């Protein structure tokens, strides 16, 4: 901070509104705005017009600013020209186009935060004293709060605060408003048939390509025909994955978690992986038969030991 008394007396000789606009006109990328300027505009009677417009200025106002007054302002301090700053010397953040790798990394970081909750690692599901609300098989189960995400109530408050900023919005304003934040109310329906028949979840992870989404849809329809509500199929189309990544991963979460198809492992010729890279009609039928066994009672009560366990 600095003693502004003499500055305020000096500023009485100038129009501070014009000084701020002229500073933006002189150096749009890094205007030098003194911190004692804006408070004057908030309280001084001579700047009532700026308050009436809620300090809302346009670039047309900037272009109309008088630079000579700003030159006189600095000349009174002994400067021969208007003082400037480089963008790197300010708190301004430059906005540049991201390249493909930066976009992928940002998408991956966002996805990882969404799907990984470190609080899960703090739960010991084999502990006899585990709370009913921590048991994923309990109807009273409560998902632990993610440390890097807002609580549900805080998120709702943020959405309501955002919506309250729009008074009598037109259709374009509504579209913009809802594209950034909106809330949806869901009715939870307990499907007794689903709860009785459910045996597992089949997860398909792929990029958002027409070919891969077509495979996912075909497998989803086939499983619905074959298993009904016994198997729930979930497709996760990842924005940070592109076709060149060779990713089409399919696994079953049932009595065991088992990877059934991996285009990535097949493409990289991963040791020990013998499955095909492509998922054609023949592979889909293989997956259906594999799922049929893995959700059956024969699989549930069977004991399987991998070669790794035997060798170790």
């Amino acid at each position: 901070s600095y003693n502004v008394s003499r500055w305020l007396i000096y500023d009485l000789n100038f129009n501070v509104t014009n000084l701020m606009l002229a500073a933006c006109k002189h150096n749009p990328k890094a205007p030098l705005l003194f911190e004692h300027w804006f408070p004057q505009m908030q309280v001084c009677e001579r700047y009532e017009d700026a308050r009436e417009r809620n300090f809302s200025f346009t670039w047309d106002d900037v272009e109309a600013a008088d630079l000579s007054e700003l030159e006189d302002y600095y000349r009174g301090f002994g400067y021969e020209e208007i003082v400037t700053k480089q963008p790197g010397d300010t708190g301004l953040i430059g906005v540049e186009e991201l390249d493909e790798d930066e976009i992928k990394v940002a998408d991956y970081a966002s996805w990882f935060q969404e799907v990984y909750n470190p609080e899960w690692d703090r739960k010991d599901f084999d502990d006899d004293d585990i709370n009913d609300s921590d048991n994923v098989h309990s109807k009273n189960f409560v998902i632990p709060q993610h440390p890097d995400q807002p609580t549900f109530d805080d998120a709702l408050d943020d959405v309501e605060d955002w919506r309250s900023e729009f008074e009598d919005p037109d259709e374009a304003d509504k579209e913009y408003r809802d594209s950034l934040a909106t809330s949806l109310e869901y009715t939870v329906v307990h499907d007794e048939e689903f709860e009785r028949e459910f045996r597992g979840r089949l997860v398909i992870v792929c990029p958002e390509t027409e070919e891969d989404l077509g495979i996912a849809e075909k497998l989803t329809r086939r499983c619905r025909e074959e298993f009904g509500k016994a198997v729930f199929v979930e497709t996760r189309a990842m924005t940070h994955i592109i076709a060149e990544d060779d990713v089409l991963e399919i696994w079953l979460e049932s009595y065991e978690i088992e990877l059934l198809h991996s285009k990535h492992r097949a493409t990289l010729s991963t040791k020990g992986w013998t499955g095909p890279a492509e998922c054609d009609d023949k592979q889909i039928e293989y997956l259906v038969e594999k799922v049929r066994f893995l959700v059956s009672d024969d699989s549930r009560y069977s004991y399987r030991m991998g070669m790794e366990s035997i060798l170790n």
Side-chain angles (χ1 to χ4, degrees), residues 171-225:
E171 289 302 318
D173 289 337
K174 289 181 180 178
E175 183 178 355
Y176 170 70
R177 178 196 65 189
D178 295 341
S179 68
L180 295 182
T182 188
S183 61
L184 300 175
E185 292 187 8
Y186 293 92
T187 301
V188 178
V189 178
H190 293 284
D191 188 334
E192 294 184 359
E193 180 185 359
F194 175 79
E195 294 180 356
R196 182 178 64 253
E197 299 295 332
F198 179 71
R199 292 296 181 272
R201 179 200 309 267
L202 187 68
V203 181
I204 306 170
V205 175
C206 64
E208 294 181 322
T209 64
E210 183 176 350
E211 179 182 359
D212 289 306
L213 292 177
I215 294 172
E217 182 179 2
K218 185 178 296 186
L219 180 55
T220 300
R221 292 179 181 276
R222 186 67 182 87
C223 287
R224 185 180 299 126
E225 295 172 359

Side-chain angles (χ1 to χ4, degrees), residues 111-123:
W111 169 78
F112 188 81
Q113 177 177 318
E114 178 183 350
V115 301
Y116 175 65
N117 185 346
E119 291 300 315
W120 284 105
D121 293 339
R122 305 180 188 276
K123 308 293 184 182

Side-chain angles (χ1 to χ4, degrees), residues 67-299:
L67 272 178
S68 63
E69 185 177 23
L70 186 62
E71 293 172 348
D72 292 339
Y73 188 82
Y74 279 102
R75 192 174 293 112
F77 300 146
Y79 292 98
E80 295 183 357
E81 58 184 18
I82 299 175
V83 177
T84 60
K85 276 192 173 183
Q86 296 298 320
D89 298 329
T90 72
L92 297 177
I93 300 175
V95 179
E96 299 180 354
E97 292 291 334
L98 300 178
D99 60 32
E100 184 176 304
D101 290 337
E102 290 173 325
I103 293 174
K104 290 177 63 177
V105 170
D107 284 340
Y108 177 76
S110 176
W111 169 78
F112 188 81
Q113 177 177 318
E114 178 183 350
V115 301
Y116 175 65
N117 185 346
E119 291 300 315
W120 284 105
D121 293 339
R122 305 180 188 276
K123 308 293 184 182
D124 182 4
F125 298 107
D126 293 326
D127 189 348
D128 293 335
D129 297 328
I130 189 172
N131 295 325
D132 189 41
S133 59
D134 294 329
N135 187 344
V136 294
H137 299 290
S138 170
K139 293 183 178 180
N140 299 320
F141 171 67
V142 177
I143 298 176
Q145 173 62 38
H146 197 295
D148 298 323
Q149 294 180 355
T151 65
F152 178 75
D153 290 336
D154 287 343
L156 280 182
D157 290 341
D158 289 342
V159 171
E160 291 304 316
D161 290 344
W162 168 247
R163 294 177 66 89
S164 66
E165 295 184 12
F166 292 81
E167 297 181 1
D168 300 324
D170 56 24
E171 289 302 318
D173 289 337
K174 289 181 180 178
E175 183 178 355
Y176 170 70
R177 178 196 65 189
D178 295 341
S179 68
L180 295 182
T182 188
S183 61
L184 300 175
E185 292 187 8
Y186 293 92
T187 301
V188 178
V189 178
H190 293 284
D191 188 334
E192 294 184 359
E193 180 185 359
F194 175 79
E195 294 180 356
R196 182 178 64 253
E197 299 295 332
F198 179 71
R199 292 296 181 272
R201 179 200 309 267
L202 187 68
V203 181
I204 306 170
V205 175
C206 64
E208 294 181 322
T209 64
E210 183 176 350
E211 179 182 359
D212 289 306
L213 292 177
I215 294 172
E217 182 179 2
K218 185 178 296 186
L219 180 55
T220 300
R221 292 179 181 276
R222 186 67 182 87
C223 287
R224 185 180 299 126
E225 295 172 359
E226 196 68 29
F227 306 113
K229 296 184 177 181
V231 176
F232 179 80
V233 182
E234 175 186 349
T235 298
R236 302 176 185 173
M238 301 300 183
T239 58
H240 64 276
I241 299 176
I242 59 177
E244 288 74 12
D245 291 331
D246 294 319
V247 171
L248 177 59
E249 314 301 296
I250 303 173
W251 67 84
L252 179 70
E253 300 173 358
S254 183
Y255 303 116
E256 300 285 347
I257 298 178
E258 184 150 341
L259 182 63
L260 305 180
H261 180 89
S262 176
K263 182 178 182 179
H264 194 65
R265 291 191 178 189
T267 303
L268 296 178
S269 300
T270 303
K271 183 179 180 180
W273 186 260
T274 59
E278 302 303 320
C279 189
D280 53 16
D281 291 344
K282 180 180 179 181
Q283 179 67 359
I284 288 178
E285 291 305 315
Y286 165 79
L287 294 174
V288 169
E289 292 303 315
K290 189 72 173 179
V291 170
R292 188 197 310 280
F293 169 73
L294 292 174
V295 300
S296 67
D297 289 340
D298 289 341
S299 174

